[in-house]
Amino acid sequence: MSVFLFMLLVSILNPVVSHKSCDFPAVFNLGDSNSDTGGYASAFTPPTSPYGDTYFHMPARRFSDGRLIIDFIAEAFGLPFINAYLDSVGTNFSHGINFATSASTIRLPISVIPNGGFSPFYLGLQYSQFEQFKVRSQVIRKQGGLLASLMPKEEYFSKALYTFDIGQNDLGEGFFSNLTVQEVNASIPDIINKFSANIKNIYNLGARFFWVHNTGPIGCLPYVLVAFASTEKDPAGCLKPYNEVAQYFNLKLKESIAQLRNEFPSAAFTYVDIYSVKYSLFAEPQKHGFELPLVTCCGYGGEYNYSAAVLCGGTITVNGTEIFVGSCDNPSVRVVWDGIHYTEAANKFIFDQISTGSFSNPAVPLKQACQS
């Protein structure tokens, strides 16, 4: 039985309890590129076309062809898309704010952009930004005027949904620093401790409703498949040892959320098994309306249509001819967008599954995440 079918069976045997929907007036998000709506683009180099083309018909500062899961979360509550904290042009934070940046980690990375591949805006710094924002936004509201209307009301900080999707890059940093699988596994307890400490800090600033995604099957993504090609593969074609590391991370994350739930009984903590939903796209793509799950939609070269030497939106010269690295013909049936991130179609599928509560612990739907 597949993991996806097993989780659905569990949800049938343990049905989601029906409650009144929560009225979240805002969403505050912390994370990495899986939920970055413009942070990286504001601080560094923004993604260019064909990024964003499917939904926005232009680059939209997201690392996908369209919307991310965080966008669907905002839409589910009737809220506008959540603007990036680092985006200083035309931003409205009245219904939430996004501190996520691409390449972010939980722990302070060893090397950061431009001298390395990881964002300086690791989770601890994102928390510091949130801490400052909470204070400064209320100073602006008290001053009145146009800017006041662009800031969240004070009561929103205790009523908002706080979403988290981060951890993949902590594992990636270990793998690409030539650590063994065992060494990366050994680092996970400290990574989770850092995550938990930041959650506690955010709780102490008034947050009460937490929606936490676990990390996805990193061993199914082309940027890992290409870099570690000789590694043992599972029946889906993914790298088994690397996915096992992700699963261990998720086990420790789930344990930490349970501990937080016990420590702070007045808060609602929902642990979301995004791994199982994502893995189902690689294991059973046709069942879900997808094809070629391991092959990059916007990429160039090799078995997985991916090369770190030339990325989506770039150009490469082949036999004297310059080739633009563009999108595949039909992103709506593809899983992986650029070798690292998911397509809008995959993001929508994932959102549709996790929002029901079938993959959550406790088993509450997204719209009842204030009651877990």
Side-chain angles (χ1 to χ4, degrees):
M1 179 184 296
S2 71
V3 173
F4 186 78
L5 286 176
F6 175 76
M7 292 302 297
L8 286 179
L9 179 60
V10 169
S11 71
I12 293 171
L13 295 177
N14 298 279
V16 174
V17 178
S18 178
H19 295 286
K20 183 179 179 181
S21 294
C22 307
D23 183 21
F24 294 117
V27 174
F28 296 109
N29 182 71
L30 297 89
D32 56 25
S33 57
N34 289 310
S35 59
D36 179 3
T37 57
Y40 183 97
S42 298
F44 306 109
T45 305
T48 58
S49 182
Y51 283 94
D53 283 2
T54 294
Y55 180 79
F56 300 98
H57 308 297
M58 60 181 289
R61 309 170 80 76
R62 293 158 171 77
F63 287 88
S64 179
D65 60 314
R67 289 165 291 182
L68 309 178
I69 295 170
I70 188 64
D71 293 316
F72 293 115
I73 289 176
E75 286 184 334
F77 295 110
L79 300 175
F81 294 146
I82 310 304
N83 291 136
Y85 172 76
L86 295 174
D87 193 347
S88 61
V89 180
T91 46
N92 184 336
F93 300 133
S94 61
H95 294 286
I97 190 167
N98 193 348
F99 299 93
T101 66
S102 177
S104 285
T105 51
I106 293 172
R107 298 195 299 184
L108 177 65
I110 296 171
S111 60
V112 300
I113 301 165
N115 297 319
F118 295 94
S119 169
F121 302 104
Y122 70 108
L123 185 59
L125 188 52
Q126 291 183 30
Y127 160 72
S128 295
Q129 291 173 333
F130 170 70
E131 184 180 33
Q132 291 185 48
F133 175 77
K134 184 182 179 187
V135 174
R136 295 178 61 200
S137 64
Q138 297 315 296
V139 171
I140 292 172
R141 279 196 65 87
K142 289 176 182 177
Q143 291 173 344
L146 175 61
L147 292 180
S149 67
L150 302 178
M151 298 296 147
K153 296 178 181 179
E154 184 175 8
E155 61 267 26
Y156 284 8
F157 288 95
S158 62
K159 296 180 178 180
L161 181 66
Y162 290 77
T163 56
F164 300 82
D165 193 325
I166 194 167
Q168 177 177 312
N169 292 320
D170 291 88
L171 306 185
E173 181 185 31
F175 297 144
F176 286 92
S177 296
N178 295 319
L179 296 183
T180 65
V181 165
Q182 292 75 18
E183 289 171 329
V184 177
N185 264 336
S187 72
I188 286 174
D190 184 59
I191 295 170
I192 296 300
N193 285 340
K194 295 291 193 302
F195 178 84
S196 183
N198 280 286
I199 293 288
K200 291 178 182 180
N201 288 338
I202 294 170
Y203 172 90
N204 288 333
L205 290 180
R208 291 298 180 267
F209 309 117
F210 299 84
W211 179 267
V212 182
H213 294 174
N214 68 10
T215 199
I218 190 172
C220 298
L221 298 176
Y223 84 108
V224 174
L225 287 164
V226 169
F228 306 101
S230 61
T231 305
E232 177 189 2
K233 293 182 174 64
D234 67 13
C238 303
L239 302 187
K240 184 177 179 182
Y242 293 84
N243 278 350
E244 288 175 345
V245 172
Q247 291 168 347
Y248 179 62
F249 174 96
N250 292 338
L251 173 66
K252 303 308 289 185
L253 177 64
K254 188 174 183 180
E255 290 176 355
S256 76
I257 296 300
Q259 291 170 358
L260 289 165
R261 197 177 289 124
N262 290 332
E263 187 171 350
F264 304 111
S266 65
F269 294 91
T270 306
Y271 168 87
V272 184
D273 182 19
I274 210 165
Y275 179 101
S276 293
V277 183
K278 286 183 174 180
Y279 187 76
S280 73
L281 289 172
F282 297 101
E284 303 173 300
Q286 292 180 334
K287 176 181 176 180
H288 305 305
F290 292 86
E291 61 185 37
L292 302 173
L294 301 175
V295 180
T296 302
C297 175
C298 184
Y300 181 85
E303 179 181 0
Y304 304 107
N305 195 38
Y306 176 83
S307 170
V310 57
L311 302 177
C312 178
T315 58
I316 184 172
T317 301
V318 179
N319 297 326
T321 301
E322 189 172 77
I323 297 175
F324 173 72
V325 180
S327 172
C328 57
D329 290 337
N330 192 1
S332 67
V333 297
R334 301 293 284 275
V335 175
V336 178
W337 169 243
D338 59 2
I340 305 172
H341 309 101
Y342 291 79
T343 60
E344 175 181 282
N347 286 329
K348 181 63 165 63
F349 172 82
I350 296 162
F351 170 79
D352 287 344
Q353 302 305 313
I354 65 172
S355 63
T356 66
S358 297
F359 294 87
S360 297
N361 184 294
V364 295
L366 172 66
K367 290 188 177 181
Q368 295 167 13
C370 62
Q371 303 170 10
S372 63

